[in-house]
Amino acid sequence: MRKKLQEISDRSKIEEVLKKCRVGRLATLGEDGYPYVTPLNYVYFKDTVYFHCALKGEKLTNISRHHKVCFEVDIPLAYLDTCYDKSIPPCEVGQFYQSVVIRGRAEIVSHMGEKIAALNALMASHEGRSTFSDISVESKAVAFCHVVAVRIDSLTAKENLAQKKSATEKNRISAYLRKRGLPGDKKAADLILGE
């Protein structure tokens, strides 16, 4: 990673980002040689990314031809705008965020136990509660979808949380974000100060 200061190396923090996001982007290689990016719902479960999909489609065709994929998630937190400090050049303002990029191998899950566990984990993740009807082998929809596992070969993660700024500047940015009060501002302010 070129910007080492922004790297997230703590595995538990990386997993926190993966578990917090609900939509990721899967990049496969299309038949025409172009990357094909698909936004999709997913769950990070047992060190694997799982998603479900129809029984046919372009991403499945791409995966069957070339199983190496890239998967990306990000959490945009707050944008530090030009109103923060009018003396700062526009190219020095920007987005605070956290992101994870995974390189791995995608495969259709053939083991029914793994498929059912992944579907239930996906439901629990998106429902945000454990009180939903469990999916079982008998559930009608199970036969009408595939579950794809992205087996992780490597992952990198980074965040922009004003790491290059002094403690005084971080406090000033955090105070500005808290006062501005847009969605994501408080979370970004907390993270910038390590709270």
Side-chain angles (χ1 to χ4, degrees), residues 76-91:
L77 296 166
Y79 179 76
L80 187 63
D81 57 13
T82 54
C83 293
Y84 164 67
D85 184 339
K86 302 220 186 280
S87 69
I88 296 175
C91 61

Side-chain angles (χ1 to χ4, degrees), residues 11 18 44 46-49 66-71 100-107 149-156:
R11 182 70 181 222
L18 285 168
Y44 176 71
K46 295 187 175 182
D47 296 321
T48 302
V49 170
H66 189 81
H67 70 279
K68 289 183 179 179
V69 298
C70 192
F71 185 77
V100 177
V101 174
I102 292 171
R103 288 175 175 81
R105 295 159 284 111
E107 62 184 49
V150 176
R151 311 291 184 198
I152 299 170
D153 291 326
S154 68
L155 58 79
T156 57

